[in-house]
Amino acid sequence: MQRFRTHITQATQVANARPAYAAGLRAAVATVGPLLAGSALEWPNAAWMGLAGFNVALADKGGALRTRLGAMIPATFYGTLAVIAGALAGRHPLSAVIVIAIWAIGAGIARTYGAPATGTGVLSLATLVISMEQPAPTLLAALTRGRGVLAGAAFAIALSLLLGRFRLYAPARLAIARAYRALAAVARGESSAIAEARAAIAESRRTLTQLRRGLNGESPRGERLLVLLESSDRLATLLEREPAPRPDLAAILLAIADGIERERYSASLNTSSADPLHDPLVTALTALRELNDERDAERPRFDFRAAYIAPVRGVLTWHSAVLRHALRVAVAAGIASAITRALHVDRGYWLTLTVVVVLQPYTSATLQRGLQRIVGTIGGAVVAALLLSVVHTPLQMMAIVFVGAALTVALLPVNYGLFAFVLTPTFVMLAEVHALDRHLVWLRVSNTLFGAMLALLAAFVLWPASERGRLRDDVAAALRALAELARCTVECDDEQIAEARRDFAVALENANASLQRALSDHREGAAEEAAMTVLIYSRRFAAAFTRLAHAAARENDRLRLAALGRYAAAMLTELANAVAHERPPVIREEPPPHAVAEAERILEPLAAVAAAVRRV
């Protein structure tokens, strides 16, 4: 009973984030604009255009242009494919179940490609389910529906680019900029500035953690902000040890703060290589440049196998939480579709949609999402019933859809229950904009209740996963897999290295899933923030070490990496043991001399991982 009360408390907590009103307004225009145009011009696919605009608005999480297009274009492409596949597969019950199951597996495995791919997978699966409810009689009709989705998505993308970007990370940028301004005061020798800097760094950690809760994974923008934050922590420690004030560094720190706030970078910023603060300053400047202009981000030579095939191969094992969750959603969604079609449930796609959105990788997360979905839907249904009693024309319904779409997107970062509360009347009227039927409201409530119960049953029956102690264990497992990758890179053949890389990819995805679950609890402890730092820098270490190994292999001089690889493996193993046994790490061995060119790219993420483990 106590645990159930805990879940209720966590489900009703509100994140410390402002509603995204600007993003909500763009979503409303992208949703209702095609409906109004379609009503005036008698377009047959106006509703599909509005749905596509709403989905693309949900996919746009802000950031640099490359990041935003990297989220919206895949959402458009897979949304178009989904609506065509659903229109064709929905003509036969068996094909509908098979296609839903296959698509659900693909959407689940998409988690391995990061937060944008995760969102695209969920949105495309939802679009598939909706399209199956209205099967197309011919291939031409299905393609025409897909054309409508493509047009609506294109309108939403153009609108998003014209009306400016959604600044999701603005609170974190401002908090980290305050930390660098406080560090500039420390460099000038102000006595109370170090306490202000430490407080600003702590506040930045809380802000980044809160923002990360609303995402399905870490984004490149969030990762660079975290690198800037970790660099500020290292700079604070080094400045405390300086015997005299450093006014020469104050100008650089202020310039970094200004660059973070105003999203600009000055190429004239430099620091002496002999300065003890050189390494963290260079790291901060590099992260600042990449934050403000992702074209400057360092990118290794594109490798199709490494980018697209290796991540999928890495999760094709029963030890992968990603694969188990994908199969769980596939089975549950397939059963939901089969039940609704066998029993001829009216608007059965609402039941299937509830299963898709409620199911989470862990059982208690599913319980919390189910509670939020049920309570929010019932509350929203009451509002919808009241609205339908006073709405008499489609134009009035479109006005309500406009307000509802804006609030739906604006409240998503705050609380999922509030999101579901506003989504229900919005979605009821969007789905049936020309049908003033009050019975649809209670039909949605009943379908939501059954869908939530089916999702909870699937979470407890289909390979249930408990999260108790999972975050600690999975982070430790990721560090051990990374240690093995570092050791094997300098001692094993290519086949064994590839196997070690796959094992690390699986362990990292499992740890990320555990982290997302812990963040959903809205806890304020340091463990979640530290785990976020460990996982980000572990991935950065793996990428940097792999690049150095490839360079050494091309020069037929892999022995240069041997000492560094053994040191990294020993250090990572100790850090893993410290996490697993909840004790401070004991690192006795000194780093090897910089015999390898650019070895600081290896030592810097290792130091950040060690610092995060020590904080816990």
Side-chain angles (χ1 to χ4, degrees):
M1 190 64 183
Q2 178 61 36
R3 292 191 65 192
F4 186 73
R5 285 197 296 268
T6 300
H7 291 317
I8 293 178
T9 301
Q10 293 168 349
T12 55
Q13 283 183 339
V14 176
N16 185 20
R18 291 190 305 171
Y21 293 119
L25 180 61
R26 288 201 301 273
V29 175
T31 303
V32 176
L35 294 178
L36 291 173
S39 178
L41 302 176
E42 298 183 354
W43 290 344
N45 291 303
W48 294 106
M49 293 173 64
L51 178 63
F54 185 69
N55 285 344
V56 169
L58 284 176
D60 182 13
K61 299 297 184 183
L65 178 61
R66 182 189 296 271
T67 301
R68 298 172 66 211
L69 290 177
M72 292 188 290
I73 290 178
T76 300
F77 176 74
Y78 288 105
T80 303
L81 286 183
V83 81
I84 295 173
L88 296 175
R91 293 185 292 186
H92 303 286
L94 181 59
S95 64
V97 172
I98 293 174
V99 170
I100 280 181
I102 294 174
W103 204 284
I105 292 175
I109 292 177
R111 288 175 175 267
T112 60
Y113 297 114
T118 302
T120 296
V122 173
L123 290 173
S124 65
L125 180 57
T127 301
L128 178 82
V129 172
I130 296 171
S131 185
M132 282 182 175
E133 182 71 12
Q134 302 177 36
T138 64
L139 174 61
L140 179 61
L143 293 175
T144 302
R145 184 181 300 178
R147 185 176 61 186
V149 169
L150 190 62
F155 172 69
I157 292 174
L159 187 68
S160 179
L161 298 180
L162 288 174
L163 295 184
R165 62 186 180 186
F166 169 36
R167 300 178 183 274
L168 174 69
Y169 285 100
R173 282 202 337 268
L174 296 176
I176 295 172
R178 285 194 295 272
Y180 275 92
R181 292 192 186 282
L183 288 176
V186 174
R188 289 193 299 266
E190 298 180 17
S191 57
S192 62
I194 189 63
E196 296 177 6
R198 291 295 185 190
I201 291 171
E203 177 61 26
S204 300
R205 293 192 193 283
R206 287 191 293 270
T207 303
L208 265 182
T209 303
Q210 290 161 358
L211 288 172
R212 174 65 167 74
R213 287 194 185 104
L215 304 174
N216 290 309
E218 192 56 79
S219 68
R221 198 166 184 80
E223 179 174 331
R224 286 156 193 155
L225 284 170
L226 189 139
V227 171
L228 281 163
L229 174 58
E230 292 302 315
S231 297
S232 71
D233 193 15
R234 291 180 62 194
L235 287 167
T237 300
L238 292 172
L239 283 170
E240 280 187 290
R241 299 173 183 172
E242 285 290 303
R246 294 291 307 274
D248 56 314
L249 292 180
I252 297 178
L253 294 169
L254 285 174
I256 293 175
D258 187 66
I260 296 172
E261 280 185 353
R262 303 187 183 185
E263 297 185 288
R264 67 185 186 188
Y265 172 77
S266 174
S268 62
L269 296 177
N270 292 300
T271 178
S272 170
S273 59
D275 196 315
L277 283 75
H278 172 73
D279 287 352
L281 276 174
V282 169
T283 301
L285 290 171
T286 302
L288 176 63
R289 184 179 69 250
E290 296 176 359
L291 174 71
N292 294 337
D293 189 352
E294 293 188 356
R295 291 173 299 179
D296 289 339
E298 179 183 355
R299 292 184 177 88
R301 184 175 58 87
F302 179 76
D303 186 339
F304 181 84
R305 288 175 57 86
Y308 294 104
I309 298 178
V312 174
R313 289 184 62 188
V315 299
L316 296 182
T317 169
W318 195 246
H319 298 293
S320 170
V322 171
L323 178 64
R324 293 197 304 270
H325 177 62
L327 293 174
R328 187 184 301 117
V329 175
V331 173
I335 291 175
S337 178
I339 291 175
T340 58
R341 291 176 178 275
L343 300 180
H344 303 288
V345 177
D346 193 16
R347 304 307 196 276
Y349 71 96
W350 286 339
L351 191 155
T352 309
L353 274 179
T354 301
V355 171
V356 169
V357 299
V358 166
L359 263 177
Q360 301 295 307
Y362 296 110
T363 51
S364 62
T366 300
L367 178 59
Q368 289 177 33
R369 180 59 63 92
L371 289 171
Q372 291 174 320
R373 180 82 172 181
I374 291 170
V375 174
T377 298
I378 292 175
V382 173
V383 173
L386 294 175
L387 291 174
L388 284 172
S389 66
V390 297
V391 170
H392 304 292
T393 66
L395 187 61
Q396 291 174 332
M397 291 185 72
M398 289 183 194
I400 294 174
V401 169
F402 183 90
V403 176
L407 290 177
T408 298
V409 175
L411 294 175
L412 181 57
V414 178
N415 180 272
Y416 183 82
L418 292 174
F419 166 80
F421 174 77
V422 182
L423 177 66
T424 295
T426 303
F427 201 83
V428 167
M429 295 184 179
L430 178 60
E432 307 291 342
V433 70
H434 296 291
L436 300 177
D437 188 354
R438 294 171 178 80
H439 297 293
L440 291 176
V441 177
W442 308 114
L443 183 63
R444 178 170 173 81
V445 171
S446 61
N447 284 344
T448 296
L449 289 173
F450 283 113
M453 287 190 291
L454 181 57
L456 290 173
L457 180 64
F460 283 100
V461 173
L462 299 175
W463 318 291
S466 173
E467 73 287 348
R468 184 173 299 178
R470 177 73 67 173
L471 178 59
R472 182 185 66 249
D473 294 342
D474 283 348
V475 169
L479 289 173
R480 289 195 181 98
L482 184 57
E484 177 60 18
L485 175 59
R487 183 200 65 78
C488 198
T489 299
V490 297
E491 296 181 3
C492 304
D493 57 34
D494 290 343
E495 184 176 347
Q496 291 171 317
I497 293 173
E499 182 66 26
R501 190 174 294 117
R502 285 193 293 270
D503 290 344
F504 171 65
V506 171
L508 189 65
E509 287 301 327
N510 289 345
N512 274 313
S514 296
L515 173 62
Q516 190 64 38
R517 163 67 188 95
L519 289 170
S520 69
D521 284 349
H522 295 274
R523 293 194 293 248
E524 296 296 335
E528 289 72 34
E529 181 277 325
M532 188 166 61
T533 302
V534 167
L535 297 181
I536 285 176
Y537 275 94
S538 293
R539 185 173 64 249
R540 292 173 73 90
F541 169 85
F545 198 75
T546 299
R547 285 196 294 270
L548 285 184
H550 286 166
R554 285 195 301 269
E555 298 172 10
N556 198 24
D557 192 14
R558 185 180 287 183
L559 290 177
R560 293 190 308 158
L561 279 177
L564 191 60
R566 286 192 293 269
Y567 166 77
M571 183 174 177
L572 289 166
T573 300
E574 169 57 22
L575 292 173
N577 292 334
V579 171
H581 299 292
E582 299 182 274
R583 61 169 176 78
V586 180
I587 301 175
R588 301 184 180 89
E589 186 178 350
E590 289 296 322
H594 286 205
V596 180
E598 301 180 344
E600 65 273 6
R601 299 194 178 193
I602 303 300
L603 299 177
E604 186 264 339
L606 275 180
V609 171
V613 173
R614 288 191 186 97
R615 283 202 303 275
V616 180

